Amino acid sequence: MDLKIIYFDMPFWRAEVARLSLFMSGIEFDDVRITGDDNKFLKEHGKLKDGTSIPFRQLPVLVIDGQSVAQSGGIARICGKLSGMYPEDIIEAGKVDQIIDTVTDMNVMLNLSMRENDPIIKKQMRADLTNIDLPRYFGYLEEIIDANSSHWFVGDTVTVADIAVWSFLGWIAQGVLDDIPPEVIQPFDGLRKVYNELGEHPLVGEWKNCLLYTSDAADEEDSVDLGGRRII
């Protein structure tokens, strides 16, 4: 099976959930990092310059034996199944899906503030995220961890749900989002445990250490080494 993951040269959760699950399972794939010029081309033509189809003209895209699949959730499920990090049981599979969809919801909330150009309005949006929205969602996630018999979200081992949350939390833990302090994660013991334990996994460290992220296609708030700082 020929696998290719196409995204920007940045460790954002939407791509890392696929990249890391495959890497940790020893599954070979082409890790394609596009440039800003590539992104402009695909937005206009719906494909890369080599002809690779980009559905919906957005990334990430997973290419399997020449067939392109878009959308983070679908990609995560495929890579999770290939890597053994996605449950066969339909109920547990649904529980993994709900976590990935929730990370998407939180991502959308943050994106709204990123697109705001008025600095006063943006600062207030970030304050609401810090004091209301993110703690609310983190609390929901914490309840799911507490209800499971292990310290992971689903089952007894790492799934793509844990990878998605780990990578998303890294975005916040690095303190690169203006007016959203890393300490917003502090009250949530279960989330901190997922983040810290997965971040200290030898294969995660190997993945992070072998890469240098220097994207010219990404927002400067995204262009950091995510998932690297331990949350105490």
Side-chain angles (χ1 to χ4, degrees):
M1 181 180 293
D2 183 49
L3 299 173
K4 182 186 302 181
I5 297 174
I6 304 170
Y7 197 61
F8 307 109
D9 190 16
M10 53 188 284
F12 197 51
W13 78 268
R14 289 186 180 278
E16 289 297 89
V17 68
R19 292 170 176 160
L20 190 53
S21 60
L22 295 179
F23 179 80
M24 291 178 72
S25 301
I27 298 173
E28 292 187 1
F29 66 98
D30 291 333
D31 188 7
V32 179
R33 311 292 178 108
I34 73 164
T35 66
D37 287 340
D38 294 328
N39 191 40
K40 291 176 183 176
F41 186 90
L42 76 84
K43 291 290 187 184
E44 181 177 352
H45 301 283
K47 60 184 177 181
L48 297 182
K49 294 176 183 177
D50 66 3
T52 300
S53 174
I54 306 295
F56 314 113
R57 305 188 183 201
Q58 63 186 25
L59 299 175
V61 162
L62 172 67
V63 183
I64 309 174
D65 292 335
Q67 300 294 312
S68 295
V69 177
Q71 298 293 354
S72 302
I75 292 170
R77 280 186 284 276
I78 292 173
C79 292
K81 290 178 180 179
L82 291 174
S83 63
M85 293 186 180
Y86 188 84
E88 294 184 4
D89 179 84
I90 59 171
I91 295 177
E92 290 200 340
K95 290 182 177 181
V96 168
D97 291 347
Q98 72 179 354
I99 300 301
I100 293 174
D101 289 345
T102 298
V103 175
T104 300
D105 290 343
M106 293 189 293
N107 194 159
V108 169
M109 291 192 304
L110 283 170
N111 282 348
L112 291 174
S113 70
M114 287 183 170
R115 293 170 183 158
E116 178 55 57
N117 294 320
D118 186 310
I120 296 176
I121 296 176
K122 183 171 185 173
K123 190 176 185 68
Q124 182 57 54
M125 292 175 75
R126 291 289 172 87
D128 290 343
L129 284 165
T130 299
N131 298 316
I132 302 172
D133 299 318
L134 288 174
R136 174 163 53 91
Y137 273 87
F138 289 170
Y140 297 155
L141 292 171
E142 189 88 350
E143 290 173 357
I144 292 172
I145 294 173
D146 290 343
N148 192 24
S149 58
S150 75
H151 61 277
W152 304 113
F153 280 103
V154 182
D156 298 324
T157 58
V158 173
T159 67
V160 288
D162 302 294
I163 295 176
V165 172
W166 169 79
S167 189
F168 179 86
L169 290 178
W171 197 19
I172 296 172
Q174 294 300 311
V176 297
L177 296 172
D178 291 342
D179 301 310
I180 298 183
E183 290 75 21
V184 69
I185 309 171
Q186 173 63 35
F188 303 97
D189 294 343
L191 286 181
R192 287 192 289 112
K193 189 174 182 64
V194 168
Y195 178 82
N196 290 331
E197 290 209 9
L198 190 50
E200 292 167 359
H201 191 290
L203 288 174
V204 174
E206 183 179 341
W207 171 251
K208 290 164 78 307
N209 290 336
C210 72
L211 297 171
L212 179 64
Y213 298 99
T214 57
S215 178
D216 64 350
D219 185 287
E220 64 179 3
E221 289 187 301
D222 298 337
S223 302
V224 294
D225 184 12
L226 302 183
R229 189 170 81 89
R230 183 175 176 84
I231 305 174
I232 304 301

